[in-house]
């Protein structure tokens, strides 16, 4: 299990764009499970939508991408979070995306990602998001870990 303090050592994201609250399972080179608690206090609900708050699909994809970044980073560098200061994860493609069920305040959005293929610093990941046991969104993500100073 990885709590938010450790997540913040790996990911550069901060409020309001840090979208992973906790990692519940991580098997390097294979898979990750993490989650974000969706609350009515999210800034995004001021405009999406004021009368019927729905958590945007783009935020679901970003949350899956952040979980994938944690998986890739830990797979390559283990617990050496000092490396994170010099690295950045770029997403190259987002394919086969589907949004199946609206996500609303009070939901616990669970991200489950698995490695489809990994070669060098390129990661191809299958990503799904669940609320309880219901699949709410899915995508295939391709990302690259690069040196931050090259960006």
């Amino acid at each position: 299990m990885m709590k938010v303090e450790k997540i913040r050592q790996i990911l550069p994201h901060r409020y309001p764009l840090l979208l992973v609250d906790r990692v519940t399972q991580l098997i390097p080179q294979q898979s990750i499970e993490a989650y974000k608690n969706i609350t009515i206090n999210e800034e995004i609900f001021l405009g999406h939508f004021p009368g019927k708050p729905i958590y945007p699909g783009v935020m679901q994809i970003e949350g899956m991408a952040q979980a994938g970044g944690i998986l890739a980073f830990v797979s390559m560098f283990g617990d050496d979070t000092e490396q994170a200061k010099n690295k950045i994860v770029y997403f190259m493609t987002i394919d086969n995306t589907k949004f199946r069920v609206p996500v609303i305040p009070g939901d616990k959005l669970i991200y489950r990602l698995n490695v489809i293929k990994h070669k060098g610093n390129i990661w191809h990941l299958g990503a799904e998001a669940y609320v309880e046991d219901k699949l709410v969104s899915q995508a295939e993500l391709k990302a690259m870990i690069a040196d931050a100073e090259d960006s």
Side-chain angles (χ1 to χ4, degrees), residues 14 22 26 75 84 115 119 121 147:
R14 296 296 179 262
R22 184 164 292 176
L26 193 155
S75 294
V115 176
K119 185 171 184 176
N121 63 342
D147 291 331

Side-chain angles (χ1 to χ4, degrees), residues 33-103:
E33 182 174 293
Y35 68 82
K36 168 152 182 54
N37 290 309
I38 308 300
T39 73
I40 192 62
N41 296 322
E42 311 277 343
E43 267 189 76
I44 200 77
F45 293 131
L46 293 173
H48 199 274
F49 299 102
K52 183 169 176 56
I54 297 173
Y55 195 65
V58 68
M59 301 298 277
Q60 295 173 48
I61 297 300
E62 175 63 23
M64 289 188 276
Q66 289 179 19
I70 295 168
L71 172 59
F73 181 85
V74 171
S75 294
M76 292 183 75
F77 303 108
D79 286 333
D80 185 4
T81 56
E82 282 298 309
Q83 289 281 341
K85 294 176 183 172
N86 303 316
K87 302 292 180 188
I88 191 162
V89 178
Y90 291 115
F91 275 80
M92 302 161 57
T93 63
I94 301 169
D95 295 316
N96 301 318
T97 304
K98 295 181 181 165
F99 302 103
R100 300 183 176 279
V101 177
V103 176

Side-chain angles (χ1 to χ4, degrees), residues 95-141:
D95 295 316
N96 301 318
T97 304
K98 295 181 181 165
F99 302 103
R100 300 183 176 279
V101 177
V103 176
I104 60 173
D107 286 344
K108 180 178 184 177
L109 188 59
I110 301 167
Y111 310 122
R112 294 182 183 143
L113 288 83
N114 64 314
V115 176
I116 295 172
K117 187 175 179 182
H118 165 235
K119 185 171 184 176
N121 63 342
I122 307 290
W123 295 82
H124 185 187
L125 306 168
E128 296 178 332
Y130 292 83
V131 171
E132 297 176 6
D133 289 328
K134 189 177 288 184
L135 180 65
V136 296
S137 57
Q138 65 193 84
E140 286 185 24
L141 310 171

